[in-house]
Amino acid sequence: MSFEIINPTTTKELLSVVKNLKRKKFRFGAGCTDLLLELRKKPEENLTVINITQVKDAVFTGIKKTSKGLTIGSRVTAHNIVMNEEIKRNFPVLHEAALNLASTQIRQVATVGGNLCTASPSGDIACALMTLGANCEIINENGRRRRIPIHDFHTGVRATALKRGELLYSISIRGNEKNKKRIFSRFIKIGTRKSMECSVVSLAYHIQTDIKGKIIHAGIAIGSSAPTIRSTDSACKFLAGKNIFEISENEKKEFAEKVVGYASPISDIRATAWYRKEVLYNISKGIFEDILSNEE
Amino acid sequence: MFKELKIIGKPTPKHDAHIRVTGKAVYGHDIVLPGMLYGAILRTEHPSAEFTIDISAAKKIPGVVCIITADDIDTNNISYKRDHPILKKGEVNCIRDEIAAIAAETKEIAQQALKLIKVKYKIRKGIYGPFEALKEDAPQINKFISGKFQNKNIAETFHYEHGNLEEEKKKSAAIVKRRFTLPRMTHACMGTSNITASYNKTDGKLLLYSSTQVPFLYQRDMAHALKMNPSDIRIIQPVIGGGFGSKLDMYPFEPICALLSMKTGRPVQIIYSREEEFIASPTRQPMIIDLTAGVDKKGNFTFREINIVKDNGAYTSWGATTPFVIMQAFSSLYKVGACMFDATAVYTNNVFAGSFRGYGNPQATFALERMIDLLAEEIGMDKAEIRLLNANEKGETTGQGLHYETCGHKECLETVITKSKLKTQKSEVSKHSSKKSTQKRFVSGIGYASMLHVGGGAKIYRSDGCGTTLKIDPYGYCTIITGSNEIGQGSETVLAMIASEELGIDLKKIKVINTDTDIKPWDVGVHASRTSFVAGNSLLGAIKILKEKLNKKANELLKTSDEEFEYENGFIKSSISGNSIALDKVVREMHFSHPNELAIASYFYEPSSQVQNKEYKGNVSGTYAFASQAIEVEVDTYTGNVSVKNVWVAQDVGKVLNPLLLDGQIHGGILQGMGYALSEELLMKDGKILNPNFHNYKMLTASDIPEIDFFPIETNDKQGPYGAKGVGEAPLIPTAAAIANAVCNALDIDIIELPITPEKVLKAIHKNI
Ligand SMILES: Cc1cc2nc3c(=O)[nH]c(=O)nc-3n(C[C@H](O)[C@H](O)[C@H](O)COP(=O)(O)OP(=O)(O)OC[C@H]3O[C@@H](n4cnc5c(N)ncnc54)[C@H](O)[C@@H]3O)c2cc1C
């Protein structure tokens, strides 16, 4: 594995580097925790890696509160997410996803952008962002920007909506509902060991209710269960208007079935499709038990 | 009886801790010799095939200095059965098989050239299960064995028995039979396999920087392989990045590296990549254990009947001899009236196993301790009680002839049973008061297991001895030249502590020289948890001789006639007159005045143990170590995940020499045992390894370490240095068994296979519903 590396330090420089390289073979590199593995497996000749970690750009590298919610630069690391109090308080699902990613060392370098752009079905940060109805801001070599909902960002296994010359600039998430009084928000990651684990199945939920527990808004997504991360919209709809503390056994089952309906897992050396579906069903049902037991 | 000890028993950091943590330690990977070439090995793509090879294109690459295939070398086969050719000719039998090797100016050139070697394979079906290999019509897998067994694919057999099996069967109130299946686990040492060879064409001498655990056996094996004189081979051990038994055998890459150096006349280095390490380094012996056992109505164990089939892989390693240890567990852990043991190692086209911490004992203990729970259930007896009833005792001589001069088995069991009950009863209460609703999802269980292992070496060669040369220099510094070697376990530190204790010399003034076969006296090597015991006793022997010399001079200088002196803070003090003299001064007087003698002594220690007879009977070790573990787990019935909550360990260590290093052995061992129990398995399909990386080979990490409560049990064995026994392997041995028992206790399921993965647990829960 060998490649050229270019280290732009401003956004302008970055875009002009992209422009210059547009007809050549190039890749963006952020934390490179996915990129290096990929290049080791499939070495490419005459490749240039554009290192985007040296670019000084407040939006690109920062987490910022806005009137509508929060903007997270795509160069923000998992560690930055973990340390952010605003996220910890209002979007625990995202905090937990970042906290359980790999290990302390990897979290120092692994970025939000890398997690989304690598488009792995087991991307934890991407899965959490799905429950928050995030929007992706994309920039091209001419500085032109466009926004797409995260639902449209992943187009297949390891495929994204990014066109040649485009890069992910930032992600924005809506603030929680104004009239919401409570949030139930968690990232459930299933695997064999507690660190350095790639999810065998994951379930992210971000549910907002009024003071009594009536569900106002629910975002639920699953990872490692289909070619891409899936938002389980019908399961979310099913919950709307129900009281989160009073979900009946039958409703739990129906809900879990709806979640599993979005899964089309494969069998590989880490788990069989049977296991993935079974666990997904169990933990989907388990959401409400978790919530109740934490109430006590 | 014992005088008060100043250093022994006190937490003392490792002798080499500073160089290790600052990155100053020189591992094999760091060695660079002038003019050194980089070696690389071409391995087969198919586990069973015939092949032809064409190296002409690779040879043309600038920077390629030498390429060898089987046709270019004149060597003997390796392995203790001599059934393993160094480079394979015309046919391959497992996915590790070496078919060519390159020495080049750079690593990159070597890798590039590897790709240009053209190999044409004629793929054969291959045999990937031992039972399949035993069938009449199976082809012969290894063509190099003498064929002394009935079946052409049998590599080795063991038979052992004691007692009257039929009578004991009649006495039994319950008899249980199970088939236990044990996986391939690999050592995954932090430092990958490496060697640097430097052959000197002018004098015909070969220098090897090798991370072997057994330098003197290695020297002999290397000489045999290369048709050289052993003494023309010098082995230097750089700092070793993990052994755990993996470096007991010599593997083909080592003589290959030597051959490349001999051919080129330049130093050559081979270092495995991590992937190569997973594929080409050994594993724990996978095996199938059929165990039938009985118990009488009072709970006394009556008999054990064992039939083991081991997947030997394509070649034989020391791992094939693990039944030596396995049979000890079955014959002698807990009292048992009769034992009938058979084990067969069968060739397959899988990768071959090697030796691994515990040497078969974790496999045996898993089967045995699971069986004890099943027997207890069968007669409705408490699982703690049945163990205490049958526990080994001091003074016992077992059916196999192991003599327990000291024995902490009962105390170990009592300790972990009491301690675990205290804690689990408390947590039971708190669980009821809170989190009611989650109780169904998470269920807890507790399991017990014990182990027996050699604690004073193991006499499986003619000698289990170790030599020491000890010297004190005119400045009062002490050098210990020991036959034993350091592979990270901390033996250097313990030896320095012993010298410091006995000679009153500050630890900082003690050097341990143990890395060079041209210098150090003979020793078998690091295995069988023997180093502190054997090398410690050897050092004590040398100290005794040296002290006699020093005492004589001190008497002369102090004009006293003491029998005993106190050695303290660099001084030798007369216990009668109270006068003292500096140690360095005594040494100078010895050296520089009449009759001009060196302050040097040598001693060879041979343990009192016996080589076992043909029936595998005899007292094979200087002493025996015992341990018990109680483990509490919590099982998530939604996911099948097993979380180890608490581990209580009591181990008969004889005497604690260094609590800090002992704790390290306990913690490391338990985590390794947990990996064996829950997550580690080298997955194979049709002879190929599916998970040669840490991503999918699930070694546990620091985040998985549970609460560990360790209770050392001191039985002060008079054979051991200060009463100590071997401790290194024990902590891992009963862990998987205790975890399996705990999971079965939690879920009411029957686990007969490792690792206990979440998926297997969930499937078992489903079967139960
Ligand atoms: C040991 C280990 C453990 C891991 N554990 C986890 C885990 O638990 N959970 C998890 O989700 N992931 C895990 N990963 C995967 C990886 O760490 C994450 O996906 C991480 O977020 C990737 O970020 P990065 O900055 O390293 O991406 P990089 O490797 O730098 O990039 C990944 C891909 O995205 C592209 N890219 C990066 N940034 C941009 C951008 N701004 N615009 C356009 N394209 C871009 C790159 O070209 C590349 O194709 C693990 C990886 C390793 C090596």
Side-chain angles (χ1 to χ4, degrees):
Chain A
M1 173 177 58
S2 72
F3 47 77
E4 290 279 314
I5 189 152
I6 300 185
N7 305 294
T9 54
T10 64
T11 317
K12 213 173 127 200
E13 220 179 297
L14 168 66
L15 298 182
S16 82
V17 166
V18 177
K19 216 174 205 168
N20 287 340
L21 283 171
K22 202 169 168 189
R23 285 181 208 299
K24 301 210 175 108
K25 272 203 270 183
F26 77 90
R27 295 290 295 274
F28 294 111
C32 293
T33 59
D34 281 320
L35 185 69
L36 286 186
L37 284 182
E38 189 192 321
L39 293 179
R40 223 183 128 235
K41 248 186 238 157
K42 269 192 286 162
E44 283 185 46
E45 308 244 311
N46 306 319
L47 178 74
T48 305
V49 171
I50 305 175
N51 172 15
I52 60 176
T53 60
Q54 305 301 311
V55 177
K56 289 183 191 66
D57 174 321
V59 180
F60 195 49
T61 60
I63 302 174
K64 199 163 159 260
K65 224 174 145 177
T66 63
S67 56
K68 290 201 198 105
L70 209 60
T71 302
I72 302 171
S74 95
R75 232 282 283 126
V76 163
T77 62
H79 174 74
N80 297 147
I81 302 261
V82 172
M83 300 310 286
N84 188 283
E85 281 301 320
E86 181 72 22
I87 292 176
K88 192 173 173 188
R89 205 173 323 119
N90 292 315
F91 310 103
V93 62
L94 182 56
H95 172 81
E96 287 183 17
L99 184 66
N100 291 305
L101 188 139
S103 64
T104 312
Q105 293 91 328
I106 300 266
R107 288 196 291 273
Q108 303 299 316
V109 294
T111 63
V112 173
N115 202 274
L116 275 163
C117 295
T118 216
S120 154
S122 63
D124 291 338
I125 293 177
C127 187
L129 285 171
M130 193 73 97
T131 68
L132 301 173
N135 275 301
C136 304
E137 185 167 25
I138 295 166
I139 188 168
N140 78 358
E141 77 274 18
N142 299 316
R144 195 169 303 130
R145 298 176 189 208
R146 65 182 178 111
R147 272 170 163 258
I148 58 169
I150 190 166
H151 292 78
D152 299 334
F153 188 76
H154 294 137
T155 54
V157 191
R158 307 219 162 254
T160 68
L162 290 176
K163 296 188 193 110
R164 204 169 159 71
E166 283 186 330
L167 76 146
L168 183 61
Y169 187 59
S170 70
I171 295 103
S172 50
I173 48 185
R174 247 178 300 141
N176 290 321
E177 301 280 333
K178 286 274 172 338
N179 59 347
K180 69 93 202 164
K181 290 291 187 279
R182 309 195 55 177
I183 342 166
F184 302 90
S185 175
R186 276 203 62 195
F187 187 78
I188 303 170
K189 177 171 178 172
I190 306 299
T192 311
R193 52 188 171 200
K194 293 190 184 128
S195 298
M196 296 303 273
E197 189 60 290
C198 175
S199 323
V200 166
V201 175
S202 59
L203 173 69
Y205 66 86
H206 187 73
I207 302 173
Q208 305 174 50
T209 73
D210 70 10
I211 191 82
K212 293 220 179 77
K214 193 177 126 192
I215 297 169
I216 298 167
H217 191 274
I220 296 159
I222 56 174
S224 299
S225 313
T228 59
I229 291 160
R230 291 259 165 99
S231 171
T232 66
D233 297 339
S234 74
C236 298
K237 253 188 226 127
F238 177 75
L239 288 185
K242 296 197 169 57
N243 188 306
I244 200 158
F245 302 118
E246 291 163 9
I247 309 278
S248 71
E249 265 319 293
N250 278 338
E251 284 171 334
K252 280 182 205 167
K253 284 184 187 156
E254 199 178 335
F255 167 78
E257 268 155 26
K258 284 194 190 307
V259 173
V260 175
Y262 286 86
S264 53
I266 51 161
S267 292
D268 61 15
I269 60 169
R270 296 188 298 127
T272 61
W274 172 82
Y275 178 79
R276 289 188 158 102
K277 277 193 167 177
E278 191 63 31
V279 168
L280 193 58
Y281 179 84
N282 289 344
I283 59 176
S284 300
K285 260 176 51 192
I287 292 180
F288 308 101
E289 293 163 14
D290 268 0
I291 289 171
L292 269 183
S293 81
N294 286 335
E295 281 301 292
E296 279 173 21
Chain B
M1 177 176 103
F2 289 103
K3 60 175 194 248
E4 205 189 312
L5 299 169
K6 296 187 197 77
I7 293 173
I8 296 295
K10 307 281 183 312
T12 308
K14 277 184 88 178
H15 213 54
D16 55 350
H18 55 292
I19 63 159
R20 294 257 188 175
V21 297
T22 53
K24 294 277 188 287
V26 178
Y27 291 84
H29 313 71
D30 302 319
I31 291 171
V32 181
L33 298 180
M36 187 171 86
L37 300 170
Y38 296 86
I41 291 170
L42 182 71
R43 297 177 196 280
T44 175
E45 284 168 42
H46 304 284
S48 177
E50 286 162 31
F51 73 95
T52 54
I53 187 163
D54 174 6
I55 58 170
S56 53
K59 252 188 163 157
K60 289 192 194 118
I61 303 274
V64 170
V65 181
C66 174
I67 303 184
I68 53 174
T69 66
D71 290 333
D72 306 308
I73 60 173
D74 173 26
T75 52
N76 285 316
N77 282 355
I78 61 169
S79 97
Y80 91 96
K81 288 259 160 187
R82 308 285 183 233
D83 64 354
H84 193 170
I86 293 167
L87 282 164
K88 283 67 182 173
K89 188 178 168 69
E91 72 170 306
V92 284
N93 277 300
C94 88
I95 200 69
R96 283 182 193 151
D97 275 359
E98 300 78 2
I99 55 183
I102 293 178
E105 297 289 350
T106 69
K107 285 176 206 163
E108 290 73 22
I109 295 172
Q111 289 303 325
Q112 192 194 349
L114 275 189
K115 290 192 193 107
L116 294 177
I117 296 179
K118 290 189 197 90
V119 188
K120 270 201 203 117
Y121 295 97
K122 205 173 119 202
I123 299 169
R124 296 187 300 213
K125 203 169 141 265
I127 297 177
Y128 305 108
F131 293 112
E132 202 189 326
L134 287 173
K135 284 184 187 155
E136 272 307 303
D137 58 349
Q140 183 173 12
I141 293 165
N142 189 305
K143 314 256 159 57
F144 304 100
I145 40 153
S146 56
K148 77 172 189 191
F149 302 107
Q150 257 179 2
N151 186 295
K152 55 186 170 299
N153 281 329
I154 290 180
E156 187 64 284
T157 64
F158 287 84
H159 175 80
Y160 164 85
E161 60 180 89
H162 79 247
N164 187 328
L165 195 70
E166 290 316 311
E167 220 155 78
E168 293 292 336
K169 277 187 180 171
K170 273 187 223 141
K171 276 195 223 160
S172 306
I175 294 180
V176 177
K177 187 176 168 148
R178 281 290 182 285
R179 169 168 284 190
F180 297 97
T181 307
L182 285 310
R184 253 184 210 89
M185 177 197 201
T186 188
H187 309 72
C189 296
M190 281 213 280
T192 56
S193 300
N194 63 86
I195 183 166
T196 307
S198 180
Y199 181 73
N200 187 335
K201 281 194 170 175
T202 59
D203 62 8
K205 293 212 162 58
L206 176 65
L207 169 63
L208 298 171
Y209 293 89
S210 157
S211 43
T212 176
Q213 293 180 217
V214 287
F216 289 102
L217 301 182
Y218 185 87
Q219 183 188 40
R220 186 196 64 185
D221 288 349
M222 185 66 79
H224 179 262
L226 301 176
K227 304 187 176 175
M228 283 179 72
N229 185 331
S231 296
D232 283 334
I233 302 174
R234 177 180 178 189
I235 319 281
I236 294 183
Q237 296 165 287
V239 176
I240 295 172
F244 307 107
S246 65
K247 294 160 175 73
L248 199 66
D249 279 279
M250 182 179 79
Y251 304 101
F253 80 98
E254 295 164 291
I256 284 175
C257 193
L259 285 162
L260 288 171
S261 179
M262 291 162 91
K263 297 260 177 204
T264 58
R266 291 168 66 177
V268 180
Q269 182 171 74
I270 293 181
I271 296 175
Y272 278 11
S273 68
R274 179 55 67 187
E275 191 179 27
E276 200 171 13
E277 184 75 14
F278 273 109
I279 292 171
S281 56
T283 69
R284 191 181 286 294
Q285 215 79 24
M287 58 182 72
I288 290 148
I289 304 179
D290 284 321
L291 170 61
T292 310
V295 63
D296 71 14
K297 59 178 183 296
K298 287 193 190 132
N300 298 301
F301 298 150
T302 49
F303 77 95
R304 294 172 190 152
E305 204 174 355
I306 305 100
N307 210 322
I308 298 178
V309 173
K310 300 160 21 118
D311 183 342
N312 198 53
Y315 309 101
T316 311
S317 71
W318 281 121
T321 66
T322 48
F324 270 122
V325 175
I326 297 176
M327 70 172 73
Q328 273 165 35
F330 284 116
S331 75
S332 304
L333 175 59
Y334 300 98
K335 287 173 240 162
V336 61
C339 176
M340 175 81 82
F341 176 95
D342 281 287
T344 310
V346 183
Y347 287 114
T348 65
N349 290 112
N350 288 326
V351 294
F352 53 94
S355 91
F356 197 151
R357 191 179 190 178
Y359 213 73
N361 209 343
Q363 293 95 313
T365 302
F366 168 70
L368 178 55
E369 286 285 355
R370 271 298 297 132
M371 179 54 78
I372 292 175
D373 269 20
L374 295 169
L375 290 171
E377 279 163 22
E378 207 60 31
I379 58 164
M381 193 166 173
D382 180 76
K383 288 167 187 165
E385 203 181 312
I386 196 169
R387 288 181 165 83
L388 284 167
L389 177 73
N390 289 284
N392 298 108
E393 279 169 320
K394 184 179 162 154
E396 185 184 337
T397 301
T398 75
Q400 204 183 346
L402 314 187
H403 180 67
Y404 303 152
E405 188 73 34
T406 56
C407 171
H409 191 188
K410 232 176 210 157
E411 209 179 332
C412 287
L413 268 170
E414 275 162 358
T415 306
V416 299
I417 291 166
T418 319
K419 300 286 178 187
S420 61
K421 276 198 176 144
L422 266 179
K423 177 89 172 262
T424 46
Q425 275 157 4
K426 254 189 234 153
S427 64
E428 217 48 51
V429 177
S430 62
K431 217 186 273 162
H432 280 291
S433 56
S434 74
K435 296 208 170 177
K436 250 178 250 151
S437 51
T438 56
Q439 239 185 68
K440 266 193 307 188
R441 173 170 176 181
F442 297 99
V443 284
S444 310
I446 189 149
Y448 308 114
S450 295
M451 76 97 225
L452 149 74
H453 205 69
V454 292
K459 198 162 284 185
I460 45 178
Y461 310 98
R462 270 177 68 199
S463 161
D464 193 25
C466 174
T468 305
T469 297
L470 184 68
K471 76 166 188 182
I472 303 181
D473 72 13
Y475 313 102
Y477 279 56
C478 168
T479 302
I480 304 164
I481 306 170
T482 173
S484 72
N485 40 108
E486 171 73 38
I487 60 166
Q489 81 276 40
S491 70
E492 282 174 359
T493 311
V494 165
L495 294 180
M497 287 168 74
I498 291 175
S500 176
E501 181 75 49
E502 297 298 322
L503 294 166
I505 298 174
D506 192 90
L507 270 177
K508 288 202 191 84
K509 296 185 177 174
I510 297 174
K511 304 169 211 180
V512 182
I513 304 292
N514 52 1
T515 57
D516 189 341
T517 52
D518 269 6
I519 295 169
K520 64 181 192 173
W522 195 81
D523 171 75
V524 175
V526 181
H527 69 99
S529 305
R530 70 188 277 283
T531 305
S532 289
F533 183 93
V534 180
N537 276 336
S538 177
L539 173 60
L540 282 170
I543 288 171
K544 189 161 172 258
I545 298 169
L546 189 59
K547 270 186 167 177
E548 280 164 15
K549 294 186 188 178
L550 290 163
N551 289 353
K552 195 168 142 223
K553 196 72 187 178
N555 269 324
E556 196 183 306
L557 294 170
L558 290 171
K559 303 192 171 46
T560 53
S561 53
D562 274 15
E563 294 278 305
E564 248 181 73
F565 283 91
E566 274 171 38
Y567 284 70
E568 219 176 330
N569 300 327
F571 282 85
I572 302 181
K573 193 168 122 191
S574 156
S575 40
I576 300 171
S577 70
N579 291 343
S580 63
I581 183 166
L583 176 66
D584 55 337
K585 180 148 197 236
V586 177
V587 174
R588 282 197 297 273
E589 290 303 317
M590 278 176 76
H591 285 188
F592 306 132
S593 69
H594 186 75
N596 301 77
E597 204 187 355
L598 286 172
I600 195 161
S602 289
Y603 186 72
F604 187 66
Y605 169 76
E606 183 64 44
S608 62
S609 48
Q610 311 161 333
V611 175
Q612 287 173 331
N613 64 16
K614 283 209 174 75
E615 293 163 355
Y616 301 107
K617 286 185 181 160
N619 196 24
V620 74
S621 181
T623 179
Y624 299 87
F626 298 85
S628 300
Q629 296 183 6
I631 296 187
E632 186 191 20
V633 302
E634 186 180 76
V635 186
D636 182 346
T637 58
Y638 282 12
T639 64
N641 273 82
V642 174
S643 167
V644 175
K645 291 289 170 198
N646 284 290
V647 181
W648 294 270
V649 191
Q651 187 169 319
D652 173 4
V653 298
K655 160 91 190 163
V656 178
L657 295 176
N658 183 343
L660 208 58
L661 294 189
L662 179 55
D663 250 3
Q665 291 291 339
I666 300 291
H667 277 74
I670 297 232
L671 201 66
Q672 208 165 36
M674 281 171 57
Y676 189 47
L678 298 173
S679 60
E680 289 185 47
E681 179 170 18
L682 208 58
L683 298 164
M684 296 200 69
K685 184 158 194 289
D686 295 341
K688 290 192 180 172
I689 291 169
L690 304 178
N691 54 343
N693 50 59
F694 282 122
H695 186 54
N696 287 319
Y697 182 84
K698 301 283 179 193
M699 210 169 174
L700 298 178
T701 77
S703 334
D704 299 295
I705 298 180
E707 278 290 316
I708 297 173
D709 283 308
F710 171 48
F711 308 92
I713 305 293
E714 297 196 318
T715 50
N716 292 306
D717 197 290
K718 69 175 192 291
Q719 295 281 336
Y722 305 93
K725 302 180 174 186
V727 301
E729 292 167 280
L732 143 112
I733 293 169
T735 308
I739 290 175
N741 281 341
V743 175
C744 294
N745 174 244
L747 294 175
D748 210 6
I749 60 174
D750 187 4
I751 291 171
I752 49 171
E753 190 183 310
L754 296 179
I756 312 164
T757 60
E759 181 146 0
K760 284 185 201 162
V761 173
L762 205 63
K763 275 210 182 103
I765 293 172
H766 264 256
K767 253 197 234 148
N768 261 19
I769 299 171

